[in-house]
Amino acid sequence: MKEIILVKVGEIALKGLNRKNFEDMLIKNIKRKIHKLGRFDIVSAQSTIRITPLDDFTDMDEVAEKLSKVFGIVAFSRACVAEKDMEKIKESAAEYLEPIFSENISFKVESKRSDKKFPYGSPEISKMVGGFLADRFPNVTVDVHDPDVVVTVEIRDFGAYVHAKVEEGAGGLPVSCGGKAAILISGGIDSPVAAYMMAKRGLELSAVHFASPPYTSDRAEEKVSDLLEIVSDYAGKMNMYTVPFTKIQEEIQKNCPEELFTIIMRRMMMKISDRIARRVGCQALITGESLGQVASQTIGAIACTDEASTLPVFRPLIGMDKKDIIDISQKINTFETSCLPYEDCCTVFTPRHPKTKPDPERVRNAEAKIDWEDMINEAVENVKLTRIGENLY
Ligand code: ATP
Ligand code: MG
């Protein structure tokens, strides 16, 4: 039996004149996501995207699994295709729904007829298909108020479809329709979640990671690329730029007041990320900071860090509790990897008493005693590129 998938787009529908661009981007992202599973005809018609497999071997469970991770899809339904003939529709519905209807469920039928040439109206279609299913499966009951299953019959221009289960999509906006930004990624719980959240709002990502060997290990770096691989299942392919940060951190430790180590280090991260981001065409930076979580994430410290970047800095977790961040990391499957115990450069040379209310003037003065320019240039010139998501797409 021929099965297709009907995709419901979300906020895209609200985008007025840009709607076509959003829809084209979504279709491109869907194609990229499922192309390894076979050939498909993907078209947008009557505010739905219809995905029709063209090969017999295609595993539609796998297609559905992949679609559940495409941003811009609010919901989707797997549906069987029937000829636009009442008898054929009834028979197809019974055959397609048999696995669900062999249980003692209650159901109702709803119909949508966008092909006005079809000889029956929606209420009649519902009544006929409902009656047929009730006769065919004596164990099920009709309940129009609170049914376990709503069967939908759609009569469209191209054919008739029957479906019974709406699956939740990933929501958000299609990746890439909102521009490009660089996520500052550590191996922690927060930054992968921040990356996921901004990709969900339609951003294409690049990633910047600071490593300080030998204080941080290769394994710590691998952990970060592993995390990005998981995120890329939603966010698409991306480049990870690993910045050699040892020299700058050692310089900070040697020449700056101890209580300002962290804040100056974070400003250096911003300056370097800003340069890399601009070089690769990003329009914003993203961090996993959450207000008050640690000393460097107070309002004063954030203001001081912010100054160091010329690009806007997005902090999608700013108002979230750790518990809520963990819930998302579990949902997107980064939590376990984030919890692996490898060191981050942020935990190297941590001051005993970091300033929670740094005086920006004092920070700038402390920073000005050293000529950072050559060191920053050297770090930017020596980034290591790792490609993420190559095997997924
Ligand atoms: P996370 O769980 O993301 O590590 P955190 O609560 O441990 O966050 P910090 O270590 O203060 O917080 O880092 C705050 C933010 O700074 C991170 O969310 C991330 O965006 C960025 N960051 C921290 N360490 C690195 C690093 N080694 N490379 C790139 N960005 C980093
Ligand atoms: Mg961290």
Side-chain angles (χ1 to χ4, degrees):
M1 171 161 273
K2 185 96 184 156
E3 197 179 31
I4 58 149
I5 296 183
L6 298 170
V7 169
K8 201 168 147 239
V9 297
E11 287 176 51
I12 297 180
L14 305 173
K15 298 291 171 205
L17 292 175
N18 272 331
R19 185 192 166 122
K20 176 95 176 59
N21 294 348
F22 282 85
E23 224 168 61
D24 289 350
M25 186 59 80
L26 178 57
I27 289 176
K28 199 165 142 200
N29 292 350
I30 291 174
K31 281 185 179 156
R32 214 178 278 160
K33 189 82 185 165
I34 62 176
H35 82 273
K36 285 190 178 167
L37 303 178
R39 291 171 306 140
F40 299 89
D41 177 42
I42 304 179
V43 288
S44 165
Q46 295 166 318
S47 62
T48 306
I49 293 172
R50 191 183 63 227
I51 304 174
T52 310
L54 301 174
D55 302 305
D56 295 333
F57 58 78
T58 299
D59 180 340
M60 295 301 272
D61 288 341
E62 256 184 276
V63 176
E65 209 280 318
K66 295 236 179 263
L67 286 181
S68 71
K69 292 180 175 170
V70 176
F71 292 132
I73 297 179
V74 158
F76 60 94
S77 302
R78 293 165 70 162
C80 79
V81 184
E83 257 178 66
K84 281 199 279 185
D85 168 286
M86 231 23 250
E87 289 313 306
K88 298 254 168 64
I89 292 171
K90 287 194 270 186
E91 280 301 337
S92 301
E95 188 187 339
Y96 186 60
L97 299 172
E98 196 188 341
I100 305 175
F101 275 57
S102 55
E103 309 283 328
N104 296 332
I105 51 135
S106 62
F107 80 103
K108 75 168 172 182
V109 178
E110 284 181 353
S111 303
K112 292 181 201 157
R113 185 186 61 140
S114 50
D115 173 10
K116 300 298 177 203
K117 284 189 233 117
F118 194 68
Y120 303 98
S122 301
E124 284 171 285
I125 300 168
S126 300
K127 219 164 152 188
M128 284 192 271
V129 175
F132 186 82
L133 290 171
D135 287 347
R136 173 70 69 91
F137 302 96
N139 51 307
V140 303
T141 48
V142 175
D143 179 349
V144 291
H145 300 294
D146 186 25
D148 299 323
V149 174
V150 178
V151 174
T152 307
V153 179
E154 298 191 33
I155 314 289
R156 297 202 176 218
D157 292 349
F158 300 97
Y161 308 119
V162 179
H163 53 93
K165 203 172 142 214
V166 179
E167 303 192 40
E168 203 182 325
L173 298 169
V175 167
S176 287
C177 74
K180 192 170 163 187
I183 170 77
L184 277 71
I185 183 101
S186 71
I189 294 167
D190 303 331
S191 41
V193 172
Y196 162 86
M197 286 177 68
M198 295 319 299
K200 184 172 178 179
R201 293 311 299 165
L203 290 180
E204 182 184 337
L205 302 179
S206 287
V208 179
H209 173 63
F210 292 85
S212 288
Y215 307 104
T216 60
S217 63
D218 285 350
R219 192 59 198 89
E221 212 178 300
E222 248 172 66
K223 175 186 171 183
V224 175
S225 59
D226 288 349
L227 283 167
L228 288 174
E229 286 289 346
I230 301 172
V231 172
S232 75
D233 209 3
Y234 294 90
K237 281 185 192 182
M238 66 182 99
N239 286 339
M240 166 179 165
Y241 302 97
T242 303
V243 182
F245 203 40
T246 317
K247 204 164 158 186
I248 290 179
Q249 281 201 287
E250 285 177 342
E251 197 66 24
I252 296 171
Q253 196 223 5
K254 254 190 276 159
N255 296 309
C256 299
E258 184 185 331
E259 73 275 18
L260 300 182
F261 282 179
T262 309
I263 197 79
I264 293 177
M265 178 198 69
R266 298 201 57 77
R267 284 167 61 92
M268 290 302 148
M269 281 185 168
M270 290 309 218
K271 284 186 189 185
I272 293 169
S273 302
D274 189 88
R275 295 226 191 148
I276 296 169
R278 284 186 179 280
R279 193 176 272 200
V280 299
C282 292
Q283 299 156 281
L285 302 180
I286 305 165
T287 74
E289 290 161 304
S290 161
L291 193 64
Q293 198 185 77
V294 288
S296 62
Q297 294 173 26
T298 62
I299 195 165
I302 285 178
C304 206
T305 315
D306 228 32
E307 260 187 14
S309 166
T310 63
L311 289 170
V313 182
F314 295 159
R315 298 180 170 86
L317 314 185
I318 197 72
M320 287 174 72
D321 289 350
K322 194 76 185 185
K323 184 187 165 301
D324 301 329
I325 300 169
I326 288 174
D327 284 349
I328 299 179
S329 76
Q330 281 169 332
K331 188 182 98 180
I332 65 172
N333 213 17
T334 50
F335 183 71
E336 246 177 66
T337 307
S338 288
C339 289
L340 296 173
Y342 298 105
E343 64 297 321
D344 181 59
C345 70
C346 280
T347 52
V348 182
F349 312 132
T350 42
R352 279 158 297 179
H353 304 292
K355 273 265 176 247
T356 52
K357 290 183 190 156
D359 171 5
E361 193 62 31
R362 194 169 161 240
V363 173
R364 271 184 240 121
N365 288 340
E367 225 176 76
K369 296 205 171 94
I370 301 154
D371 183 7
W372 300 100
E373 198 49 31
D374 287 349
M375 278 184 281
I376 290 177
N377 280 336
E378 193 185 331
V380 172
E381 292 310 323
N382 288 295
V383 293
K384 185 181 95 191
L385 169 65
T386 310
R387 293 194 192 281
I388 304 291
E390 290 292 312
N391 298 325
L392 279 166
Y393 293 87

